[in-house]
Amino acid sequence: MTPLRILHSEAATSFGGQEQYIFRMMLAMRERGHHLEAVCQPHAVLAQRLRDEGFTVHTTYMDGPVNFLKSQVSIRRVLRQGRFDVLNTHSRRDTIVAGCAARLAGTPLIVRTRHLANKVGSLLSYTVIPHRVTTASDFVRNHLIERGVSPGHVATVYPAVDTPPVPEFSTLRQELSLAQNDVVVGCVAVMRKLKGHRELIDAMEPLIKDRPNVHLVLVGGGSPVFEEVQAYVAEKGLGKRVHMLGARRDVPNLLAGFDIFALATRKEASGTVFVEAGAAGLPVVGTNVDGVPEMMQAGVSGLLVPLDDGPALTAALKRLIDDPELRRQMGQAGFRFCRDDDKFSANAMAQRAEACYTRWLAERKS
């Protein structure tokens, strides 16, 4: 196919899941022969990360009414001079700023990607400014359709998930002085209230008290919730069995030391950490919310429980803690689902986006 010229825009300045999505998308699309550039705010972490990979990154401030007009002029110039086929926006602010600029520049296709599971209010940045929409999960896609987006104008493009080889040895048990027959339930997630760390601790408490070889390991940072959870663990007297490691850069090493992965999240557009855990050969336990069911095979690679059902969460964890053979079977199923199906690879992500772009460009031209 003819290579496309694609400009991605992002107003956020941090580097979280949304920015990782853009970063991996641009790398994968470039591998497929397309030309990609980005427009970000000058102080955005994503801007530097992309430059380090050799991408051209245009910068403009997008905050405030004065910057709104200046950035529109700047982005419109970039779009016209670059003769881009596609503008792909990623948050409300840059959709309005860059999307309006693209309308004025006559860019053939404007696509908005929706990354969040929150309910959508105004449809301005989904049906009025952009021509089409992509989403991080079918759950988000279905919500947009319910809100009034035409089904033919919105498609799911799952995020790419890194699935490195599983380490042959993990340093986790040595670090925490755990025995090989200890059962480790692990959770990797930034410390935010919606991630359900307290709910997970509450569900684990009776299991920890009844079984001297059961431990819970929490990986992830984020003030002030980290300190609040730390105090909650101390208040319950679980400090010797609930291990809080903070933010870590060796997640594959830590996953290899877990027996079970669990996350009692309350809101999740997709929940790629369930894929990371499954790809590490772990059975997973999660809450049946938003896009989480799409990241696993309920009853095959893991167990789903209703939100705010503490006894059900405890029962699911107990079932896996007490049954090593079930853990092995579900872990193997998760490994196959997350790796062999190629559903969450960078190339699969790029293929889906490419198919959407080419189909929608053809529809627009016709």
Side-chain angles (χ1 to χ4, degrees):
M1 65 168 291
T2 304
L4 298 173
R5 296 182 61 81
I6 304 159
L7 180 71
H8 282 269
S9 66
E10 176 55 78
T13 58
S14 60
F15 195 83
Q18 185 163 309
E19 291 73 35
Q20 289 177 4
Y21 184 106
I22 300 167
F23 184 74
R24 291 170 179 166
M25 172 70 80
M26 290 182 64
L27 287 171
M29 290 291 279
R30 184 171 65 180
E31 282 290 314
R32 295 182 65 81
H34 303 289
H35 176 83
L36 293 106
E37 298 180 19
V39 58
C40 305
Q41 299 210 68
H43 49 301
V45 177
L46 177 63
Q48 189 56 53
R49 289 286 299 271
L50 289 172
R51 286 195 183 105
D52 290 344
E53 293 293 335
F55 290 103
T56 297
V57 180
H58 310 271
T59 57
T60 180
Y61 290 103
M62 302 183 196
D63 300 324
V66 175
N67 288 329
F68 174 80
L69 295 174
K70 288 182 178 179
S71 59
Q72 266 210 359
V73 172
S74 174
I75 296 171
R76 184 172 58 185
R77 185 184 306 116
V78 168
L79 287 162
R80 281 179 172 168
Q81 292 178 350
R83 302 183 69 181
F84 287 96
D85 302 294
V86 181
L87 168 71
N88 200 145
T89 70
H90 292 272
S91 58
R92 187 176 186 276
R93 189 186 313 157
D94 66 88
T95 298
I96 294 173
V97 174
C100 288
R103 286 280 186 173
L104 293 171
T107 302
L109 178 64
I110 305 168
V111 176
R112 162 77 193 269
T113 298
R114 174 69 177 180
H115 299 268
L116 304 177
N118 299 342
K119 290 184 178 180
V120 170
S122 169
L123 289 180
L124 175 68
S125 62
Y126 298 97
T127 59
V128 178
I129 296 176
H131 303 119
R132 301 291 188 271
V133 183
T134 61
T135 62
S137 67
D138 283 340
F139 169 82
V140 179
R141 178 179 183 269
N142 292 336
H143 171 61
L144 289 175
I145 292 171
E146 290 171 2
R147 288 285 291 113
V149 179
S150 170
H153 287 192
V154 55
T156 298
V157 178
Y158 286 115
V161 180
D162 284 338
T163 54
V166 180
E168 293 184 10
F169 175 77
S170 170
T171 63
L172 178 68
R173 290 170 188 265
Q174 182 180 3
E175 178 182 338
L176 299 179
S177 299
L178 302 181
Q180 287 306 307
N181 67 337
D182 285 336
V183 179
V184 178
V185 178
C187 174
V188 180
V190 65
M191 289 281 179
R192 296 188 186 123
K193 291 187 183 297
L194 289 176
K195 294 297 182 180
H197 289 93
R198 285 193 179 217
E199 289 85 346
L200 180 57
I201 292 167
D202 288 343
M204 285 290 299
E205 183 176 12
L207 301 173
I208 288 173
K209 290 182 175 179
D210 286 348
R211 294 161 178 77
N213 69 327
V214 171
H215 294 257
L216 174 63
V217 175
L218 304 178
V219 181
S223 293
V225 176
F226 181 90
E227 290 77 14
E228 292 171 359
V229 172
Q230 201 170 40
Y232 191 63
V233 170
E235 178 186 320
K236 286 180 169 288
L238 298 175
K240 292 183 178 181
R241 306 280 292 285
V242 177
H243 312 272
M244 298 184 63
L245 305 188
R248 294 284 291 256
R249 293 181 177 273
D250 61 338
V251 171
N253 167 54
L254 300 176
L255 288 173
F258 296 169
D259 295 294
I260 301 162
F261 178 87
L263 177 62
T265 183
R266 305 188 65 81
K267 188 171 288 293
E268 210 76 44
S270 52
T272 54
V273 69
F274 287 100
V275 178
E276 294 175 13
L282 292 173
V284 298
V285 176
T287 37
N288 190 8
V289 296
D290 305 341
V292 172
E294 299 169 53
M295 303 294 115
M296 59 183 286
Q297 294 172 299
V300 178
S301 67
L303 302 172
L304 281 176
V305 300
L307 185 63
D308 291 325
D309 191 336
L313 182 55
T314 298
L317 291 163
K318 179 180 181 297
R319 184 179 171 194
L320 285 169
I321 288 170
D322 292 347
D323 193 337
E325 179 58 23
L326 181 62
R327 294 202 301 267
R328 187 190 65 80
Q329 291 175 2
M330 286 192 163
Q332 288 181 346
F335 188 90
R336 291 191 297 269
F337 173 69
C338 297
R339 289 182 182 267
D340 296 350
D341 288 356
D342 199 37
K343 185 176 183 180
F344 302 105
S345 71
N347 188 53
M349 178 194 201
Q351 282 183 324
R352 292 190 194 99
E354 182 185 275
C356 290
Y357 292 158
T358 53
R359 181 175 77 251
W360 290 336
L361 279 166
E363 289 174 1
R364 296 274 304 149
K365 288 177 182 177
S366 65

